[in-house]
Amino acid sequence: MKNFFEGVVNLVYLLKFGASWILPPGIFIVAFFAVSIYAWRSRHDPKLALIIFSLTFAFYLLCIGFVSEKILGSLESEYSPPSDIESSGADVIIMLGGGAIPDVPDVDGPGALCASPANRLLTAVRLQRKLNIPILLSGGQVYSDTGAEAKIAKKILISLGVDEKDIIIETKSINTTQNAKFSAEILNEKNLHKPILVTSAFHMTRSVLNFKQQGVEVIPYPTDYLVTPSPVFHYTKLRPQSEALIANVMVLQERLRTFVTEIFKI
C-alpha cells in the first residue's frame, strides 16, 4: 500500500512538471528554444540563434522555483525578528500597508486587505497583545480604485478586539518613502521614540533604509515570509511557473528600488 501511494504522489509530481511546459510561461520558453534551434540549423543567422537561445535561457531561469527560492530567500534573510521583543523597550508598532480592495465583501462591511498586508496585520495585532502598545497603520489610497489601506486595516483591528484608542492611522502615503516620512512626523507629534516596524520580509531592507533616512531607528520585525530558509531540492522546482517569475521580478524590483533610495533618497 505504501508503494502504491508513493507511486501516486510521484505521478502527481510528474503531471505537474509536464503540464508546466504546455501552459504559460512554459509554452513560450519551448517555442523560443525551438526558434533558436531552427535558426541555428538553417544556418541563416547563427548569431541570432545564440542570442535567442541565451535570452530564452535567462527567461527560463527567472521562471523556476529553484532560482526564486535562492534569491528571494537571500532578500528575506537580511533581517530577523528579535528573539526577545518584550525587553526591547518598544513604544509603538508601525505596520506598513501593501494593498487593499475597497468594494469587496468582508465580515465588517466592504473593504479588505490584500494577502501581504493581511499577514502583516496578523503579526501586528499579536505583538500589540503581547506588548500592550499602540499600532500605527501607515498607508493611504494609492489609486482611485484601490482601498484606503490604513482605514480598512483599522476596521479589521477593531473587529479583532484592539481598542480604538490604541490605533493610530496615517492615510496620506502612497509608497514606502512616504510611509516613513509621514510616520516619522506622527512619532514626533506623539513623542514615540522606539518603533517596531512590521512589514513583509522581502520588503524590510528598503523599509528600514527609508525610515533611517527620516532619522528613525526601527526594530525590524519581518513577517509574511514567502520561502523557507532551508529549501530542499526537487526536480519540480525546475519547471517554469508564473509564481516563480513574479517572485523573481519582485526581488529585482526591491533591489532596484533600494538602490534608487540609497542614491537619490526617494
Side-chain angles (χ1 to χ4, degrees):
M1 183 63 70
K2 179 181 178 181
N3 290 336
F4 172 76
F5 284 114
E6 287 179 351
V8 171
V9 170
N10 290 332
L11 178 60
V12 170
Y13 287 143
L14 187 61
L15 290 173
K16 285 184 176 181
F17 187 83
S20 64
W21 295 99
I22 60 175
L23 297 171
I27 188 65
F28 299 111
I29 294 171
V30 171
F32 280 105
F33 272 136
V35 169
S36 67
I37 293 171
Y38 173 79
W40 181 269
R41 288 184 174 180
S42 65
R43 300 183 183 276
H44 291 315
D45 196 338
K47 289 184 179 180
L48 177 61
L50 183 59
I51 292 172
I52 295 173
F53 181 89
S54 300
L55 291 174
T56 304
F57 186 70
F59 180 63
Y60 165 70
L61 291 177
L62 286 173
C63 290
I64 60 175
F66 178 76
V67 172
S68 68
E69 280 185 341
K70 298 293 184 183
I71 66 172
L72 181 54
S74 174
L75 180 60
E76 289 189 332
S77 64
E78 292 185 359
Y79 286 94
S80 299
S83 57
D84 186 12
I85 193 64
E86 291 173 304
S87 63
S88 65
D91 54 8
V92 65
I93 301 161
I94 301 175
M95 191 204 94
L96 302 187
I101 309 171
D103 50 4
V104 294
D106 190 57
V107 176
D108 302 296
L113 296 177
C114 297
S116 286
N119 284 334
R120 299 172 192 179
L121 190 77
L122 286 174
T123 297
V125 72
R126 288 154 65 199
L127 285 172
Q128 197 275 333
R129 288 176 178 172
K130 183 184 291 287
L131 303 175
N132 195 29
I133 57 178
I135 299 176
L136 168 54
L137 302 169
S138 177
Q141 184 171 350
V142 180
Y143 302 107
S144 60
D145 60 347
T146 58
E149 297 179 16
K151 292 180 180 179
I152 292 174
K154 178 181 179 179
K155 175 196 71 172
I156 298 171
L157 282 181
I158 293 172
S159 174
L160 291 172
V162 179
D163 196 317
E164 189 171 359
K165 69 179 178 58
D166 290 325
I167 304 172
I168 307 165
I169 62 171
E170 179 282 299
T171 60
K172 297 185 293 183
S173 59
I174 60 172
N175 59 24
T176 309
T177 301
Q178 292 184 2
N179 285 146
K181 179 179 184 296
F182 297 136
S183 294
E185 292 175 358
I186 292 174
L187 295 180
N188 289 331
E189 291 171 6
K190 295 188 175 294
N191 199 30
L192 298 168
H193 304 289
K194 201 160 187 182
I196 298 171
L197 181 62
V198 175
T199 190
S200 300
F202 72 83
H203 185 234
M204 184 59 77
T205 298
R206 181 161 59 96
S207 301
V208 170
L209 177 60
N210 280 130
F211 275 87
K212 186 176 182 179
Q213 290 177 342
Q214 296 297 325
V216 179
E217 293 292 332
V218 299
I219 302 169
Y221 207 101
T223 187
D224 184 41
Y225 287 87
L226 300 177
V227 296
T228 174
S230 303
V232 177
F233 176 77
H234 191 278
Y235 75 89
T236 55
K237 294 181 181 181
L238 298 177
R239 64 191 178 104
Q241 298 174 273
S242 58
E243 296 89 344
L245 177 60
I246 292 170
N248 282 323
V249 170
M250 181 177 66
V251 172
L252 293 175
Q253 287 178 337
E254 282 297 314
R255 295 298 190 190
L256 177 60
R257 289 170 179 170
T258 301
F259 174 77
V260 170
T261 300
E262 289 176 334
I263 300 301
F264 301 103
K265 295 180 170 38
I266 57 174

